[in-house]
């Protein structure tokens, strides 16, 4: 009763809309037309103001805006959604090959739109063929749609498993279209498309011979190339992506203990698992009669299921029936093996009671990969496997310890579990075929039907496309602008994608020689890559946990190679007493474990878009800063051991003094530089911020990077001078000595080029700072109001990620003002500033030209890592040389006294890091 009274009281307080007057105006009813009054009120509005009345809130305004807006209201024009049947009635299945070609090219273009960031519901699923594959009976369209569906699902699964969800956030939520939908296995789809390609080509040749029309042959070849396009992509994913990711429901193995089975046979094994307890009981009681009856029950049940399944559709293929019968035979064999293994367990237990077992040598403790020392690898099969359930539900860990003399090899056959390894050689061949296929599509896309006014638009002029076809799958979020490429743009996009896949297949195996090669390749690869190829690179590099390329090598080995060749810490030198010190070895292992985690964090960031890369790099910067603590502990212990063994009198006499700490600092500087480099790629910095941004990049980052490179050079030279092999005159050692000297020369030549490169970057940064001051003083770059305090806040915000690193990388605004002399630059004569900047650019240009000569002289012998590192160094040189030369020309022109000219900073599109000065009228 109290609730009813409260409801009545609330109802009395609500004003009657028919009697209420707002603002002196009559109330508005549903039948009133308020357009004139509304536009009259809008005429007096300013930017940012809204028309409103009491009890009409902002949320109501947004709802009113969304209604009947095609991009906001998914219900607009949804009363007549196209279906597959309506598309067929419009002529989808007619033998119109130009139209078929246009439909296939439009679907490929929609695939590009999806990979570029739009949702499936607004791109691919607008093609009703893709969401109704099982209802299609057109041979060519069925094979094309089935292949495209499988390709989309595999790419979707790849990106989800790699973890690049930030790239396409709302689209990579669970898709109801994928859930509970079974697709034809990949191999069957590829064979189906290959057969259809042969039929289409044969038909084209037939009609060409009959009619003499070359166009028929061209169009049939073009249609076949679209099927070949999907087939090659599926084959590439099959050789580069682990089956558990690439094909989650078909064509991969299931691991059950020591048994590996096909997924299609899993149901038969489940049947065997249901009687596992009965078999175990019968085996323990040695009652094989009961076990045999159980086996017969399983076989009978499988046969009944076969008959039941065949009764529904009498035209099923015989091979499916044979597959199920084979599954029953596997169950029979499996049950018998379990019985025998349990019987052998009892014999082994009795034997163990009489004679204790000795531990084999293969179970001795060894240091994990990435540690200081690695003993010989354990032989396969010697280590006792972990307890794991076998296919019948029993545990068979003890059965594996039975002496080999008591076991008949024919009775105990275990299928070896093979770890997936990407096949880069085959992927390279497929990528080359894919490139040729894309080139053929680029030359033949014009043979397809043209759109109205020769515009492709959203392809709704084609029979199977409807923008609202899958309106239920459009993400429930604020809609983004869907950019659908034209057929010409899409095929060029795929041509570039094919080249990136070729780069992955050729360069990825060679990029794991050291950690620098890994990062240089991934860094340059990610700038012009898409979410598909970024994910492909990640899964190729780490298909199984932290093992590189699916091999036994972990991420620790490239790190150790870079550390040992560049900085030679005593803990890795066999002749050093630190090498055998247990405390130092433990500290080194701790350091390596943390370093591996940091490197994996950094490398995984290359799979994300640029924004997410910066976010993850901030975490990597903090992790590297914490690694300095572990490196410091190792350096302290190294000094203690070296002093205690009288190898040195002072710790500074150690040829590799603070080598590990320098290695960490070197990598930290590289990550920080890349962090700010991403900011320029994302256009985050404005010209009035250039003075302190390039002060940090030139005076702090580049100079300290120069110091670490020179320190590496010094360590390597001093170590070789102190090495006994360098002074050996023994003829037997001359060959090894010569090899070591050649390797040292290569490394030193590469370091010298990097040193010149860093010096040039320092000079360019100084010139940019001075020219930025000139532009500000000439009024061509406006500084926002707020004075020095506002500039301090902007400075602290830009370098906020470095605040926890400590000196010398934690920079303050006062430090910037003091070391850069920025205040004095604002007082100096402008002509002197221009002349000084010109000198800086000239010095950078001269250094880069020396570097070019060194590269040409040592092109064949200088580099010890990968071809991609050479490519990156040459690209970096050419870009910096182009920028230094352009700025040198501009400053020389200004020195001549040019007046009344407009000056502004510009960036090259392929290298938007260092700006060049543009002078115009």
């Amino acid at each position: 009763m109290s609730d009813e009274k409260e409801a009545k009281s609330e109802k009395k307080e609500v004003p009657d809309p028919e009697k209420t007057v707002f603002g002196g105006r009559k109330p508005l009813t549903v039948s009133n037309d308020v357009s004139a009054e509304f536009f009259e009120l809008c005429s007096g509005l300013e930017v940012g103001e809204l028309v409103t009345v009491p009890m009409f809130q902002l949320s109501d305004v947004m709802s009113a805006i969304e209604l009947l807006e095609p991009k906001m209201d998914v219900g607009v024009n949804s009363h007549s959604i196209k279906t597959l049947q309506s598309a067929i009635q419009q002529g989808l299945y007619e033998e119109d090959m130009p139209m078929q070609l246009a439909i296939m090219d439009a679907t490929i273009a929609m695939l590009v739109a999806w990979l570029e960031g739009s949702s499936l519901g607004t791109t691919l699923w607008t093609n009703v063929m893709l969401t109704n594959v099982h209802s299609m009976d057109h041979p060519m369209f069925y094979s094309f749609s089935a292949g495209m569906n499988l390709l989309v699902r595999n790419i979707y699964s790849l990106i989800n498993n790699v973890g690049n969800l930030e790239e396409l956030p709302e689209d990579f939520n669970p898709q109801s279209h994928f859930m509970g939908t079974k697709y034809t296995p990949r191999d069957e789809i590829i064979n189906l498309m290959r057969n259809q390609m042969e039929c289409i080509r044969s038909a084209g040749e037939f009609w060409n011979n009959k009619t003499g029309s070359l166009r028929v042959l061209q169009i049939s070849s073009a249609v076949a190339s679209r099927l070949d396009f999907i087939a090659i992509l599926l084959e590439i994913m099959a050789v580069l992506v682990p089956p558990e990711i690439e094909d989650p429901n078909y064509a991969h193995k299931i691991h059950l203990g020591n048994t590996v089975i096909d997924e299609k046979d899993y149901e038969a094994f489940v049947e065997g698992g249901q009687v596992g307890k009965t078999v175990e009981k019968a085996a323990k009681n040695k009652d094989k009669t009961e076990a045999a009856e159980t086996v017969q029950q399983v076989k009978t049940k499988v046969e009944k299921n076969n008959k039941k399944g065949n009764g529904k559709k009498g035209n099923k293929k015989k091979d499916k029936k044979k597959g199920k019968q084979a599954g029953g035979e596997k169950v029979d064999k499996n049950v018998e093996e379990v019985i025998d293994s349990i019987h052998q367990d009892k014999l082994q237990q009795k034997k163990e009671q009489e004679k204790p077992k000795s531990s084999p040598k293969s179970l001795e403790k060894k240091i994990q990969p990435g540690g200081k020392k690695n003993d010989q690898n354990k032989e396969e099969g010697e280590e006792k496997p972990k307890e794991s359930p076998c296919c019948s539900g029993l545990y068979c860990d003890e059965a594996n310890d039975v002496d080999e003399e008591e076991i008949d090899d024919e009775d105990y056959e275990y299928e070896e579990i093979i770890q997936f390894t990407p096949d880069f050689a085959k992927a390279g061949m497929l990528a080359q075929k894919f490139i040729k296929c894309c080139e053929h599509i680029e030359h033949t896309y014009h043979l397809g039907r043209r759109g109205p006014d020769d515009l492709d638009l959203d392809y709704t002029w084609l029979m199977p496309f409807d923008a609202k076809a899958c309106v239920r799958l459009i993400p429930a979020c604020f809609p983004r602008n869907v950019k659908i490429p034209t057929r010409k743009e899409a095929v060029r996009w795929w041509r570039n994608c094919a080249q990136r896949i070729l780069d992955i297949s050729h360069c990825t195996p060679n990029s794991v020689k050291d950690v620098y090669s890994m990062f240089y390749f991934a860094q340059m690869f990610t700038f012009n890559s898409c979410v598909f190829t970024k994910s492909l690179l990640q899964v190729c590099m780490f298909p199984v946990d932290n093992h590189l390329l699916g091999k036994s090598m972990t991420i620790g080995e490239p790190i150790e190679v870079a550390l040992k060749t560049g900085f030679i810490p005593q803990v890795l030198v066999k002749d050093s007493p630190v090498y055998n010190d247990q405390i130092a070895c433990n500290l080194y292992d701790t350091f390596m474990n943390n370093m591996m985690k940091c490197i994996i964090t950094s490398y995984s960031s290359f799979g994300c878009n640029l924004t997410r890369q910066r976010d993850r790099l901030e975490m990597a910067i903090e992790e590297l800063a914490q690694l300095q603590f572990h490196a410091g502990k190792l350096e302290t212990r190294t000094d203690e051991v070296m002093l205690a063994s009288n190898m040195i009198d002072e710790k500074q006499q150690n040829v590799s003094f603070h080598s590990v700490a320098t290695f960490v600092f070197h990598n930290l500087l590289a990550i920080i530089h890349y962090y700010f480099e991403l900011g320029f790629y994302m256009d985050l910095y404005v010209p009035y911020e250039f003075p302190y941004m390039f002060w940090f990049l030139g005076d702090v980052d580049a100079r300290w990077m120069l110091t670490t490179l020179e320190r590496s050079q010094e360590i390597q030279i001093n170590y070789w001078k102190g090495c006994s092999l360098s002074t050996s005159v023994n003829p037997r050692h001359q060959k090894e000595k010569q090899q070591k000297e050649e390797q040292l020369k290569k490394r030193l030549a590469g370091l010298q080029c990097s040193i010149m490169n860093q010096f040039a970057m320092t000079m360019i940064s100084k010139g940019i700072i001075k020219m930025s001051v000139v532009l500000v003083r000439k009024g061509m770059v406006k500084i926002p109001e707020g004075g020095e305090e506002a500039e301090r806040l902007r400075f602290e915000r830009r370098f906020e990620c470095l605040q926890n690193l400590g000196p010398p990388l934690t920079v303050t605004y006062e430090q910037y003002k003091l070391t850069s002399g920025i205040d004095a630059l604002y007082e100096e004569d402008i002509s002197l500033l221009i002349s000084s900047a010109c000198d800086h650019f000239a010095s950078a240009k001269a250094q880069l030209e020396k570097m070019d000569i060194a590269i040409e002289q040592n092109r064949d012998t200088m580099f010890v890592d990968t071809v991609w590192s050479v490519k990156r160094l040459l690209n970096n040189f050419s870009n910096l040389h182009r920028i230094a030369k352009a700025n040198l020309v501009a400053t020389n022109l200004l020195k001549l006294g040019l007046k009344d000219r407009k000056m502004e900073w510009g960036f090259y599109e392929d290298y938007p890091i260092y700006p060049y000065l543009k002078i115009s009228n």
Side-chain angles (χ1 to χ4, degrees):
M1 292 294 292
S2 59
D3 294 340
E4 294 178 359
K5 291 181 179 179
E6 290 177 3
K8 291 179 179 180
S9 62
E10 291 177 1
K11 188 174 181 180
K12 292 179 181 179
E13 295 176 1
V14 177
D16 186 357
E18 297 294 336
K19 299 179 180 179
T20 307
V21 177
F22 296 112
R25 299 188 301 272
K26 294 183 179 181
L28 301 178
T29 62
V30 177
S31 58
N32 293 137
D33 184 1
V34 297
S35 300
E37 185 177 1
F38 173 76
F39 288 113
E40 181 182 354
L41 293 173
C42 290
S43 61
L45 293 178
E46 296 182 359
V47 177
E49 294 183 342
L50 295 173
V51 174
T52 184
V53 295
M55 299 180 64
F56 191 69
Q57 302 177 355
L58 181 61
S59 60
D60 300 320
V61 176
M62 294 301 297
S63 298
I65 294 174
E66 291 175 4
L67 291 175
L68 299 181
E69 168 59 35
K71 292 183 179 180
M72 302 290 291
D73 190 350
V74 296
V76 175
N77 299 328
S78 298
H79 58 280
S80 58
I81 297 178
K82 186 177 294 184
T83 62
L84 179 62
Q85 294 301 322
S86 61
I88 294 172
Q89 292 174 1
Q90 293 178 10
L92 178 63
Y93 286 176
E94 292 180 0
E95 294 301 324
D96 186 351
M97 295 195 75
M99 182 62 72
Q100 294 174 357
L101 187 63
I103 291 172
M104 299 169 82
D105 287 341
T107 307
I108 293 174
M110 285 295 188
L111 180 60
V112 174
W114 173 55
L115 293 175
E116 285 295 307
S118 300
S119 67
L120 281 171
T122 56
T123 53
L124 284 162
W125 293 165
T126 59
N127 186 343
V128 296
M129 295 194 307
L130 300 183
T131 53
N132 298 276
V133 176
H134 297 292
S135 301
M136 299 181 63
D137 53 8
H138 189 278
M140 189 275 293
F141 276 142
Y142 173 78
S143 58
F144 175 80
S145 301
M148 181 63 74
N149 246 358
L150 182 61
L151 179 64
V152 171
R153 186 190 57 170
N154 290 345
I155 295 175
Y156 177 93
S157 179
L158 168 66
I159 298 173
N160 262 321
N161 280 274
V162 170
N164 297 348
L165 305 187
E166 300 93 342
E167 195 77 29
L168 303 172
E170 61 264 11
D171 185 39
F172 280 86
N173 292 324
Q175 285 281 328
S176 59
H177 184 68
F178 293 147
M179 303 299 180
T181 304
K182 287 192 175 183
Y183 297 90
T184 309
R186 181 189 64 247
D187 294 338
E188 293 186 17
I189 288 180
I190 292 176
N191 291 334
L192 182 65
M193 286 191 290
R194 297 290 186 203
N195 294 334
Q196 192 62 32
M197 289 164 54
E198 292 298 326
C199 294
I200 293 172
R201 289 195 176 104
S202 299
E205 292 175 357
F206 171 79
W207 286 107
N208 179 44
N209 295 332
K210 187 174 182 179
T211 62
S213 174
L214 181 62
R215 184 175 179 82
V216 174
L217 187 62
Q218 291 175 343
I219 294 180
S220 61
S221 177
V223 171
S225 66
R226 273 58 172 179
L227 295 173
D228 196 25
F229 172 90
I230 299 176
I232 295 175
L233 263 181
L234 289 172
E235 290 173 338
I236 289 174
M237 294 193 69
V239 298
L240 291 182
V241 180
E244 288 78 5
I245 296 176
E246 186 267 338
D247 201 354
N249 292 324
Y250 290 97
H252 75 277
K253 307 292 185 180
I254 292 180
H255 301 273
L256 298 175
N258 290 334
T259 304
V260 182
I261 63 172
D262 291 330
E263 187 171 10
K264 62 183 180 181
D265 298 329
Y266 181 69
E267 294 182 0
F269 276 90
V270 171
E271 296 289 347
Q274 292 175 355
V275 297
K277 295 182 179 180
T278 307
V279 174
E280 180 181 9
K281 182 179 178 181
K284 288 183 178 179
N285 296 331
K286 296 184 179 180
D287 188 358
K288 294 195 175 183
T289 303
E290 182 180 353
E293 293 177 356
T294 305
V295 172
Q296 186 61 35
Q297 292 175 5
V298 175
K299 294 173 68 175
T300 303
K301 190 170 183 179
V302 172
E303 290 176 359
K304 288 183 178 180
N305 289 338
N306 291 341
K307 292 179 180 179
K308 185 178 179 180
N310 292 334
K312 291 181 180 179
K313 292 184 179 181
N315 57 350
K316 285 194 173 183
K317 294 182 180 180
K318 294 182 179 180
D319 56 347
K320 295 185 178 181
K321 183 177 180 181
K322 291 181 180 179
K324 291 194 175 182
Q325 291 175 353
E329 293 174 3
K330 289 183 180 180
V331 175
D332 191 350
K333 182 178 178 180
N334 182 60
V335 173
E336 291 178 355
E337 287 183 358
V338 172
I339 295 172
D340 290 338
S341 65
I342 294 174
H343 180 63
Q344 293 293 342
D345 290 343
K346 292 186 177 182
L347 296 177
Q348 182 64 20
Q349 290 174 3
K350 291 181 180 180
K351 185 175 180 180
E352 288 177 352
Q353 293 175 0
E354 298 175 359
K355 182 179 178 180
K357 292 179 63 176
S358 59
S359 176
K361 292 183 179 180
S362 61
L363 296 181
E364 292 178 355
K365 181 180 179 181
K366 72 170 185 177
I367 299 177
Q368 296 295 329
K372 179 180 75 68
K373 293 176 290 184
N374 290 329
D375 295 334
Q376 295 295 329
N377 292 334
K378 300 177 184 180
E379 296 182 1
E380 295 182 2
E382 287 184 353
E383 186 177 357
K384 180 180 177 180
K386 295 182 181 180
E387 184 180 34
S388 58
C390 68
C391 54
S392 64
L394 302 179
Y395 284 83
C396 51
D397 58 318
E398 297 178 356
N400 294 325
D401 292 332
V402 181
D403 290 349
E404 295 179 0
E405 298 177 357
E406 299 181 4
I407 303 177
D408 188 357
D409 292 338
E410 296 179 358
D411 295 334
Y412 291 87
E413 295 180 358
Y414 294 102
E415 186 176 352
E416 183 181 0
I417 300 177
I418 301 175
Q419 182 169 297
F420 174 81
T421 303
D423 190 346
F424 292 104
K426 188 173 182 180
M429 293 186 293
L430 290 171
Q432 291 175 349
K433 289 177 59 180
F434 191 49
I435 290 174
K436 293 180 180 179
C437 181
C438 291
E439 290 174 349
H440 184 263
I441 294 176
E442 186 174 6
H443 295 149
T444 57
Y445 77 90
H446 65 278
L447 298 176
R449 186 77 67 211
R450 295 184 179 183
D453 299 328
D454 207 13
L455 298 176
D456 288 339
L457 303 176
D458 58 356
Y459 302 106
T460 52
W461 50 274
L462 293 169
M463 279 84 75
F465 284 90
D466 186 355
K468 298 290 184 177
C470 262
V471 66
R472 67 186 187 283
L473 295 180
I474 296 177
C477 62
F478 195 90
R480 293 177 297 178
N481 183 29
V482 180
K483 186 180 184 304
I484 300 175
T486 64
R487 286 173 282 179
K488 183 178 181 180
E489 293 171 345
V491 70
R492 289 181 177 176
W493 189 95
W494 279 112
R495 174 64 179 80
N496 295 330
C497 181
Q499 183 60 49
R500 292 194 294 267
I501 295 174
L502 184 64
D503 288 340
I504 290 175
S505 59
H506 285 174
C507 300
T508 304
N510 297 324
S511 68
V512 297
K513 293 183 178 180
D514 60 52
V515 70
Y516 303 133
S517 303
M518 288 179 58
F519 272 77
Y520 291 158
F521 171 60
Q523 177 182 337
M524 299 304 297
F525 183 84
T526 190
F527 281 131
N528 299 315
S529 188
C530 63
V531 63
F532 171 51
T533 47
K534 287 178 186 177
S535 302
L536 204 58
L537 174 61
Q538 293 289 319
V539 80
C540 287
M541 187 63 72
F542 298 105
V544 181
D545 52 58
N546 66 340
H547 287 77
L548 297 175
L549 311 179
K551 300 179 181 179
S552 58
M553 178 174 60
T554 66
I555 187 65
E557 295 184 36
I559 298 173
E560 192 169 86
V561 169
L563 177 59
K564 188 174 182 178
T565 56
F567 297 90
I568 319 174
Q570 292 292 329
V571 72
L572 295 179
V573 179
K574 291 184 178 180
D575 298 334
S576 172
V578 186
Y579 184 82
N580 296 316
D581 183 73
Q582 188 61 41
I583 297 177
C585 292
N586 293 337
L587 291 172
Y588 177 77
D589 290 339
T590 302
F591 164 77
M592 284 298 298
N593 288 333
N594 286 277
M595 188 70 183
M596 286 190 290
K597 294 177 183 177
C598 179
I599 293 300
I600 291 175
T601 300
S602 304
Y603 197 90
S604 64
S605 69
F606 294 120
C608 303
N609 57 25
L610 301 185
T611 302
R612 304 305 177 187
Q613 281 189 48
R614 278 174 53 91
D615 294 341
R616 294 195 182 186
L617 287 179
E618 289 183 3
M619 296 187 294
I621 289 172
E622 293 184 2
E623 291 176 0
L624 280 170
Q626 295 172 1
L627 269 172
Q628 291 284 11
F629 169 75
H630 298 288
K633 292 178 68 175
L634 177 58
E635 298 289 2
T636 302
R637 181 59 185 175
T638 299
D639 296 337
E640 293 174 355
V641 175
M642 294 288 287
L643 291 170
S645 60
N646 296 323
M647 297 288 292
I648 55 175
D649 297 328
E650 296 179 353
K651 57 184 181 181
Q652 287 79 7
Q653 295 177 352
N654 179 9
V655 294
S656 56
F657 179 65
H658 279 185
S659 57
V660 180
T662 307
F663 171 74
V664 175
F665 190 58
H666 175 81
N667 285 278
L668 178 59
L669 290 169
I671 292 294
I672 291 173
H673 180 83
Y674 182 58
Y675 175 83
F676 287 107
E677 188 175 331
L678 288 176
F680 282 101
Y681 270 93
M682 298 168 62
D683 198 19
L684 297 181
Y685 312 124
V686 289
Y688 58 78
E689 294 181 303
F690 285 178
Y692 49 79
M693 293 304 304
F694 286 99
W695 165 80
F696 177 84
L697 291 176
D699 246 24
V700 180
D701 186 85
R703 281 194 176 278
W704 279 109
M705 180 64 78
L706 191 67
T707 302
T708 60
L709 293 171
E710 291 175 343
R711 178 59 182 155
S712 174
Q713 200 174 43
E714 179 185 0
I715 288 174
Q716 294 183 56
I717 293 173
N718 292 338
Y719 175 77
W720 178 248
K721 288 181 179 180
C723 182
S724 59
L725 184 63
S726 64
T727 57
S728 176
V729 293
N730 191 332
R732 292 180 298 177
H733 296 161
Q734 292 305 306
K735 185 176 181 180
E736 183 183 0
K737 177 182 177 180
Q738 186 178 2
Q739 291 177 349
K740 296 289 185 182
E741 286 178 346
E742 289 296 326
Q743 292 174 2
L744 179 62
K745 288 179 182 179
K746 293 176 183 179
R747 291 196 298 269
L748 293 180
L751 282 172
Q752 189 60 37
C753 283
S754 297
I755 288 171
M756 289 189 288
N757 188 59
Q758 292 295 324
F759 182 79
M761 291 166 66
T762 303
M763 291 295 102
I764 291 175
S765 297
K766 285 188 174 182
I768 291 173
I769 292 172
K770 292 182 178 180
M771 288 309 301
S772 296
V773 173
V774 170
L775 295 181
V776 171
R777 290 178 63 180
K778 285 181 171 290
M780 297 180 182
V781 172
K782 302 294 183 182
I783 298 180
E785 298 180 359
E788 187 172 338
E789 188 61 30
E791 187 178 48
R792 180 196 300 272
L793 293 175
R794 291 193 294 269
F795 178 92
E796 292 175 351
R797 178 66 186 90
R798 290 305 182 194
F799 301 105
E800 185 179 8
C801 63
L802 310 178
Q803 295 308 307
N804 297 326
L805 302 184
L809 296 179
T810 298
V811 292
T812 61
Y813 183 71
E814 289 76 15
Q815 179 185 354
Y816 155 68
K817 299 276 283 188
L818 180 64
T819 58
S820 65
I822 191 69
D823 292 335
L825 294 180
Y826 278 99
E827 301 296 331
E828 193 174 345
D829 185 70
I830 289 181
S831 61
L832 294 178
L833 281 178
I834 296 174
S835 178
S836 178
C838 183
D839 293 340
H840 290 315
F841 292 131
S843 177
K845 180 175 176 290
Q847 283 291 327
L848 291 168
E849 288 172 351
K850 288 181 183 179
M851 176 179 164
D852 183 38
I853 295 173
I855 292 174
E856 290 298 330
Q857 291 176 348
N858 301 276
R859 182 181 291 271
D860 297 330
T861 60
M862 172 176 156
F863 301 97
V864 294
D865 46 10
T866 67
V867 177
W868 190 270
S869 293
V870 181
K871 184 178 178 181
R872 177 186 184 275
L873 188 57
L874 293 175
N875 286 341
N876 194 47
F877 154 76
S878 61
N879 288 320
L880 287 176
H881 185 267
R882 179 174 52 169
I883 291 167
K885 186 177 180 180
N887 285 326
L888 179 61
V889 171
T891 50
N892 278 325
L893 289 175
L894 293 176
K895 284 171 63 177
L896 297 176
L898 292 178
K899 296 181 180 179
D900 301 328
R901 299 296 179 91
K902 180 181 178 182
M903 295 184 292
E904 60 181 352
W905 290 116
F907 288 94
Y908 292 111
E909 185 177 355
D910 56 341
Y911 194 73
I913 303 172
Y914 294 93
Y916 66 93
L917 194 62
K918 296 192 297 185
I919 302 176
S920 58
N921 294 325

